[in-house]
Structure formats: structure tokens, C-alpha cells
């Protein structure tokens, strides 16, 4: 039980996918202008990540390893993740057109989001059990959402602040992202490994 | 080998079937007219219609929330196609073109300092309000020419922006890009314009520009209804554009120009083809 909790906390704070591992930077910078869309993106990524972790775990241990074709891991995982993202896109378009509009190009881009593939590969590398994989995926996705929402909140405030002209827009956003990342480095002592 | 083909193929097949079922179940109906409209529009995403892009405008038209005449870059032919798709009459707004209201290039307008910075009008304007003494004149660094999606703006060798009346579609991108508001939208039919943007008094204008408006009132005296003088600057009243040509020859500083006679000096654009010449119209 403690082990699972450590994996969860470790994935959310210590080894935050965006701010410590620097995975999934594209949506982090692209969809973080408003808290609402950031939250929506976080939800979509959470869903994709958790399902992807489940499916890729089964594929790894029930198809790839028994047949001795682990070298096809990357292809198989990308195939699964791409299909899942397509599925999510269809569901979001049907259930929430507003969110679909707001996410725009970044929704299909989850397909190539390195955070999702990174999670699937890390699960296998760390030799997590099924339950541990799911917990790790949930933690990573929550960490991603947390980073997105925090950053979006900061950017909403920056929009109202008197920023020097040459720093406006992406420049100040990147600096803020760096500071936020530094802040998360402070969690390093919380959990070992 | 065979296991590899079968397993990856199997995963692919399973994913395909799942997606196929989901596509049926979660299909979103799109108005076929919206798709037809999107194909008809120019695809420049210029924003002249007031919507963020062509797809947003197509959606608004299909839903009946927007007029079919707002796509100025598409011109009359696009308007007719949109009207045909929507089943309404093709009634459009009068076509407009952008005009640079300035003739003061580097030869004819004086500079207050030598600008050696970034070749960009917005950057130049930030340094002591631009290198020209005239507070409204064209800075000539080509910011408008770079944003024009239709290649309708040329920069003369002496640093003056000139807009082609044939190529301009009226998308207003240049109007928003110019830091000095020297570009104005005018009716396409009106070819006579006061090409000056200085609101200084005549004596001041004379000192820094050879072709600036000095508010001498001669144009207004010649054709009273076709001109107004505001803040020491003459303007054409475009409702009476037919009469405005009579003042072109009278203007002492030659800041009133009829584009039928050609573009400002230094431009390589050919004179526009307009069916009726000024003298015949009067």
C-alpha cells in the first residue's frame, strides 16, 4: 500500500511529467492560456494515459513477451495510443463541442504526445505490476493536469500584469514555465527514486 | 515472423473495428451547406469578415448568423456562389480598396533622424514616434507589404507604400498593421483621394513635406460638397466622389491625386483601368 502511495505522489510531484521529465511540453505551452481549456486538456490526457497504460500493459505481457516480439513495442504502443486518441476525439466532439473547439489542434496532437508514449514505456522499464502501472498512469496524468492548471492560472494573471513589451507573450510564458519547474524541483526530497 | 505479423495486424484490426463502430455511434452531423461554403471561400483566413477564420465564417453563414457579403477578398464571384448555396439574392456591400494616404517618400518628406534599426514600421514608430518629422506620414519600412496576403502592396525605392487597386481585395490586414493609421479603406469606384495624413498647420507641413496638405481650402472652394477640411487636413466626401476630380488640377501642393492618372511617382504598378475618365464624367 505504501509502495502504491509512493508511486502516486512520486508521479504527481517529484517526477512530474511536464516539470521534471519535460514530456508533453507542446500542449503545456499550447493549451494553457485559460484554466478551463487547460483543465479540459488535462482530463483528455488523463483518460488517454490511464487507458493507454492498461492496454499497453496487456499488450506487452500477453502478446509481445509470449511471442518474443518485444522489438515491436514502439509500433504497437503508438498504434494503440493513436486509436485511443481518435476515440477520445470522437467522444469529445459529440459530447462537448465547446471543449472540442477550444482544444483545437491539440486534441489530435495527444497522438504524438511524448508524455503518453513515455508513460507506457516507463511502465515496462520499471517492471511495474498491473496495479502499479495504473496508479503510475493516474499519478502522471494528475501531475500533468496539475502543471497545466497551475500554469494556466499564472498565465491568466500575467495577461493582466504590466509585463515589459519585449517579454510579452511566449517569452514570459517560457520564463514562468522555467520558474514553475524550479519550484517543482523542490519536491525532490519528498520521495526517493 | 508470422507471430509478429499476426499480433500487430490483429491489434490494428481490433483498433480499426473499434474506431469504425465509434465513428458510427458518435457521428456529428455537419450542415452540408457549411462544407460547401468553406470550399467556396477564399481560404485566406484574413479576418476581413470579422470572424477568426474562413471556417468560423462559413459556420456563421450556414446558421444564418452572418451576411453572405462579408467575404471581401472573394469579391463578387464568391458572393454569388455563397448566395447560390444559401438560396438568397446576391446583394453585396460596395467593394472597397485600401489606399495609402501619403506621397511623402524619402525625397519629398524630411526626416528628423536617421533610423538604422529593425526594418519594421512598428519598431521605428516606437523610437521617438518614428524617423519622419511628419507625425502621420508613411514610414516606408514595409510592415504593411509583409502582412498583405495578396501581394498587393509594393514599396517604392524611396520608401513609400503603394497599394495596387487591382490586387487589393479589401481584407484590411494592412490597415491594422500600420502603426500610423496612414492606410484607409475607400470605395473602389472613388479614384480621387487626398494623399496626406498630416493634421499639422499648413506652415509646419510646408517645412517638412513637399506634397502635404496645407489646408488652403482651394479644393473646398472649387467643389464645396466633395471636400471637408478637418484639423488642417482636406478629405474627400466619398458620397460625392464623382465631383471630387475637379479639384485635382487646382491643388497647389499636388496632394490630391486621381488614380486614373496613375500611381504616385516611383510605383511600378500600371495605371488602373477605369472605364470613365474624369474629364468626361463632369
Amino acid at each position: 500500500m505504501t509502495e502504491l502511495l509512493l508511486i502516486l505522489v512520486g508521479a504527481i510531484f517529484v517526477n512530474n511529467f511536464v516539470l521534471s521529465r519535460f514530456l508533453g511540453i507542446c500542449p503545456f505551452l499550447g493549451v494553457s492560456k485559460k484554466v478551463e481549456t487547460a483543465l479540459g486538456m488535462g482530463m483528455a490526457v488523463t483518460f488517454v494515459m490511464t487507458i493507454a497504460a492498461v492496454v499497453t500493459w496487456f499488450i506487452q505481457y500477453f502478446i509481445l513477451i509470449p511471442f518474443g516480439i518485444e522489438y515491436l513495442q514502439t509500433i504497437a504502443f503508438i498504434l494503440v495510443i493513436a486509436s485511443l486518441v481518435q476515440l477520445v476525439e470522437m467522444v469529445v466532439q459529440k459530447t462537448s463541442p465547446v471543449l472540442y473547439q477550444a482544444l483545437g489542434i491539440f486534441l489530435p496532437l495527444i497522438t504524438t504526445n511524448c508524455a503518453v508514449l513515455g508513460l507506457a514505456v516507463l511502465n515496462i522499464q520499471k517492471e511495474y505490476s498491473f496495479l502499479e502501472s495504473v496508479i503510475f498512469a493516474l499519478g502522471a496524468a494528475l501531475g500533468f493536469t496539475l502543471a497545466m492548471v497551475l500554469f494556466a492560472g499564472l498565465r491568466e494573471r500575467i495577461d493582466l500584469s504590466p509585463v515589459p513589451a519585449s517579454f510579452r507573450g511566449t517569452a514570459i510564458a517560457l520564463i514562468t514555465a522555467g520558474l514553475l519547474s524550479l519550484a517543482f524541483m523542490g519536491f525532490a526530497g519528498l520521495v526517493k527514486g | 515472423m508470422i507471430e509478429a505479423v499476426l499480433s500487430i495486424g490483429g491489434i490494428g484490426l481490433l483498433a480499426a473495428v473499434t474506431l469504425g463502430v465509434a465513428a458510427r455511434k458518435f457521428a456529428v452531423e455537419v450542415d452540408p451547406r457549411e462544407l460547401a461554403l468553406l470550399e467556396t471561400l477564399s481560404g485566406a483566413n484574413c479576418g476581413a469578415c470579422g470572424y477568426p477564420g474562413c471556417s468560423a465564417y462559413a459556420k456563421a453563414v450556414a446558421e444564418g448568423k452572418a451576411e453572405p457579403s462579408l467575404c471581401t477578398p472573394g469579391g463578387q464571384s464568391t458572393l454569388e456562389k455563397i448566395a447560390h448555396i444559401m438560396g438568397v439574392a446576391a446583394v453585396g456591400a460596395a467593394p472597397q480598396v485600401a489606399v495609402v494616404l501619403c506621397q511623402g517618400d524619402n525625397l519629398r518628406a524630411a526626416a528628423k533622424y536617421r533610423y538604422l534599426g529593425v526594418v519594421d514600421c512598428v519598431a521605428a514608430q516606437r523610437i521617438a514616434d518614428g524617423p519622419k518629422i511628419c507625425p502621420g506620414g508613411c514610414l516606408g519600412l514595409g510592415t504593411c507589404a509583409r502582412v498583405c496576403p495578396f501581394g498587393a502592396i509594393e514599396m517604392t525605392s524611396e520608401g513609400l507604400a503603394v497599394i495596387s487597386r487591382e490586387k487589393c481585395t479589401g481584407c484590411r490586414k494592412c490597415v491594422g498593421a500600420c502603426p500610423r493609421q496612414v492606410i484607409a479603406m475607400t470605395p473602389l469606384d472613388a479614384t480621387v483621394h487626398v494623399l496626406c495624413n498630416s493634421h499639422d498647420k499648413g506652415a509646419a507641413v510646408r517645412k517638412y513635406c513637399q506634397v502635404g496638405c496645407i489646408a488652403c481650402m482651394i479644393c473646398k472652394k472649387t467643389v464645396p460638397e466633395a471636400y471637408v477640411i478637418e484639423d488642417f487636413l482636406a478629405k474627400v466626401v466619398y458620397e460625392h466622389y464623382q465631383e471630387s476630380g475637379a479639384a485635382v488640377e487646382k491643388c497647389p501642393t499636388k496632394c490630391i491625386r486621381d488614380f486614373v492618372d496613375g500611381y504616385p511617382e516611383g510605383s511600378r504598378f500600371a495605371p488602373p483601368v477605369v472605364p470613365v475618365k474624369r474629364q468626361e464624367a463632369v
Side-chain angles (χ1 to χ4, degrees), chain A residues 59 63 67 69 71-72 76 79 83 86-87 90-91 93-94, chain B residues 3-4 7-8 11-12 15 18-19 22-23 25-28:
Chain A
I59 285 177
I63 297 176
F67 289 122
I69 47 169
Y71 60 91
L72 289 175
L79 183 69
S83 318
Q86 285 289 308
L87 193 67
M90 286 176 199
V91 175
Q93 193 179 7
K94 180 79 177 174
Chain B
E3 298 94 343
S7 43
I8 295 294
I11 296 172
T18 317
L19 284 182
K25 199 160 168 52
F26 294 105
V28 176

Side-chain angles (χ1 to χ4, degrees), chain B:
Chain B
M1 180 63 197
I2 191 78
E3 298 94 343
V5 173
L6 282 180
S7 43
I8 295 294
I11 296 172
L13 196 67
L14 192 70
V17 170
T18 317
L19 284 182
V21 172
R24 279 277 172 85
K25 199 160 168 52
F26 294 105
V28 176
E29 291 218 357
V30 181
D31 193 337
R33 291 183 303 179
E34 189 184 324
L35 297 175
L37 287 170
L38 193 57
E39 277 184 25
T40 309
L41 297 174
S42 57
N45 289 319
C46 61
C49 53
Y51 288 86
C54 294
S55 59
Y57 177 58
K59 194 169 171 10
V61 174
E63 288 170 358
K65 288 180 189 162
E67 292 293 317
S69 61
L70 300 180
C71 182
T72 39
Q76 189 64 25
S77 66
T78 303
L79 169 62
E80 279 166 14
K81 282 180 201 156
I82 294 175
H84 178 71
I85 293 168
M86 295 302 293
V88 294
V91 184
Q96 291 199 313
V97 286
V99 172
V100 178
L101 298 179
C102 180
Q103 293 185 94
D105 57 18
N106 295 338
L107 292 176
R108 284 174 286 187
K112 63 181 156 195
Y113 62 86
R114 235 175 111 203
Y115 178 72
L116 296 171
V118 186
V119 184
D120 181 84
C121 300
V122 181
Q125 178 68 16
R126 289 217 175 117
I127 298 173
D129 288 336
K132 271 192 177 155
I133 300 177
C134 172
C138 173
L139 291 174
L141 296 171
T143 299
C144 53
R146 282 189 291 276
V147 300
C148 178
F150 305 99
I153 306 180
E154 68 159 5
M155 303 305 302
T156 67
S157 56
E158 289 304 330
L160 181 71
V162 181
I163 300 178
S164 162
R165 298 176 72 82
E166 286 78 32
K167 289 183 187 166
C168 177
T169 62
C171 76
R172 296 165 191 262
K173 277 210 161 173
C174 52
V175 177
C178 178
R180 293 188 135 189
Q181 288 84 43
V182 70
I183 305 177
M185 298 306 297
T186 59
L188 179 62
D189 293 338
T191 56
V192 179
H193 304 287
V194 179
L195 297 187
C196 183
N197 192 36
S198 161
H199 290 285
D200 285 336
K201 286 185 181 172
V205 175
R206 269 199 191 284
K207 279 186 188 143
Y208 60 61
C209 187
Q210 299 167 19
V211 281
C213 173
I214 52 172
C216 63
M217 310 286 282
I218 289 177
C219 55
K220 184 147 179 70
K221 280 173 198 150
T222 312
V223 211
E225 66 273 18
Y227 290 91
V228 285
I229 315 278
E230 287 170 357
D231 292 344
F232 309 105
L233 178 61
K235 282 186 174 157
V236 178
V237 179
Y238 289 111
E239 286 82 45
H240 299 280
Y241 70 85
Q242 281 99 340
E243 296 102 63
S244 57
V248 174
E249 304 295 336
K250 300 273 174 69
C251 177
T253 61
K254 301 290 168 214
C255 69
I256 302 178
R257 174 172 280 271
D258 189 341
F259 277 86
V260 173
D261 302 332
Y263 288 98
E265 279 92 87
S267 167
R268 292 180 302 276
F269 289 136
V273 185
V274 177
V276 188
K277 272 283 248 182
R278 183 173 69 246
Q279 288 81 354
E280 297 155 30
V282 173

Side-chain angles (χ1 to χ4, degrees), chain A residues 64-84:
Chain A
L64 299 186
I65 291 181
F67 289 122
I69 47 169
E70 292 97 328
Y71 60 91
L72 289 175
Q73 192 193 47
T74 313
I75 293 180
F77 285 8
I78 287 176
L79 183 69
V80 169
I81 291 167
S83 318
L84 280 173

